[in-house]
Amino acid sequence: QKEVEQDPGPLSVPEGAIVSLNCTYSNSAFQYFMWYRQYSRKGPELLMYTYSSGNKEDGRFTAQVDKSSKYISLFIRDSQPSDSATYLCAMSFNTGNQFYFGTGTSLTVIP
Amino acid sequence: DAGVIQSPRHEVTEMGQEVTLRCKPISGHDYLFWYRQTMMRGLELLIYFNNNVPIDDSGMPEDRFSAKMPNASFSTLKIQPSEPRDSAVYFCASSLDRGVTEAFFGQGTRLTVV
């Protein structure tokens, strides 16, 4: 079993829809939870991160962490065609610098 | 800073040939990571360095893979001999010490072994 599991999709939604992306994990010691966005033929870029449990909002994006369920989510409101990309969740411990990535979910927002 | 720089962007080689991928991390970053990305397996960590020292190479698939970091501004990933199953996108990333939230990725090298 991989440490981080993510549904690869693909996910296709109409413009303006609310998108929900999710990951589950097995190691309860993870403390930092990140979402990276990767456009086609580019490297991943950090979108946002959350420390421990709770919610974090940044514009149209909201990240949620439920440590009791070992489940994290990224919500995108009013989705735009420019949001079309692959979204990767990632996690790390409180010490050290190793990142554990999900396989990514491919999202297409149709105009 | 120009970000993490990888070269070449694309590499096509024949099975059995040696392949060398290069990476220049962001100046001042203490950690350097090599990842491999495929559709089937996603982003896999191959090896990472801290202050030029290899810390964890457990992700390196076989002895055919080797990585070096001779100084703080340069790293190589070598595959010798290459095989078709090595075809993937290889990413280099760097981060600051205690940068537990963000790794900065290069554009990647798309390797095709025929």
Side-chain angles (χ1 to χ4, degrees):
Chain A
Q1 182 191 7
K2 291 192 68 167
E3 296 241 37
V4 181
E5 299 278 357
Q6 185 174 9
D7 186 339
L11 192 59
S12 184
V13 301
E15 183 175 353
I18 296 174
V19 176
S20 172
L21 305 169
N22 311 294
C23 288
T24 59
Y25 61 96
S26 56
N27 195 328
S28 58
F30 285 132
Q31 291 289 335
Y32 290 89
F33 303 90
M34 293 144 274
W35 286 95
Y36 281 75
R37 181 173 59 195
Q38 184 177 20
Y39 289 115
S40 180
R41 300 188 178 272
K42 300 286 187 183
E45 292 179 306
L46 182 68
L47 187 60
M48 57 194 306
Y49 77 92
T50 308
Y51 174 70
S52 194
S53 282
N55 294 358
K56 187 172 186 178
E57 189 172 318
D58 184 1
R60 297 183 295 108
F61 298 87
T62 300
Q64 287 186 353
V65 175
D66 182 349
K67 293 193 76 177
S68 62
S69 302
K70 297 191 183 71
Y71 188 86
I72 70 170
S73 301
L74 177 71
F75 297 95
I76 307 174
R77 291 184 301 279
D78 187 24
S79 56
Q80 302 294 310
S82 58
D83 296 329
S84 298
T86 296
Y87 290 80
L88 301 102
C89 62
M91 305 175 191
S92 63
F93 301 111
N94 212 22
T95 58
N97 272 58
Q98 191 162 350
F99 301 86
Y100 295 82
F101 282 87
T103 51
T105 300
S106 175
L107 171 68
T108 301
V109 181
I110 302 167
Chain B
D1 200 315
V4 176
I5 299 173
Q6 291 186 247
S7 64
R9 288 294 308 278
H10 303 274
E11 177 81 29
V12 180
T13 191
E14 290 186 347
M15 183 175 62
Q17 296 297 307
E18 177 180 297
V19 175
T20 299
L21 311 181
R22 297 173 176 79
C23 175
K24 182 181 187 306
I26 293 173
S27 177
H29 280 192
D30 304 280
Y31 286 80
L32 184 138
F33 307 84
W34 281 102
Y35 288 92
R36 177 172 67 178
Q37 187 176 42
T38 60
M39 289 291 291
M40 289 298 295
R41 301 171 71 91
L43 204 58
E44 299 175 282
L45 177 64
L46 300 176
I47 184 171
Y48 76 97
F49 295 82
N50 177 216
N51 292 323
N52 313 337
V53 177
I55 301 301
D56 185 351
D57 66 353
S58 59
M60 297 284 261
E62 298 170 35
D63 291 344
R64 298 184 296 107
F65 286 69
S66 63
K68 293 182 180 179
M69 192 165 186
N71 57 63
S73 59
F74 184 66
S75 177
T76 59
L77 178 68
K78 186 177 292 186
I79 308 172
Q80 165 64 21
S82 58
E83 296 182 4
R85 59 195 168 116
D86 301 330
S87 298
V89 182
Y90 291 81
F91 285 103
C92 175
S94 68
S95 72
L96 286 165
D97 191 14
R98 305 299 299 165
V100 291
T101 57
E102 185 164 16
F104 294 81
F105 284 79
Q107 299 269 50
T109 295
R110 185 172 295 273
L111 173 65
T112 304
V113 183
V114 297

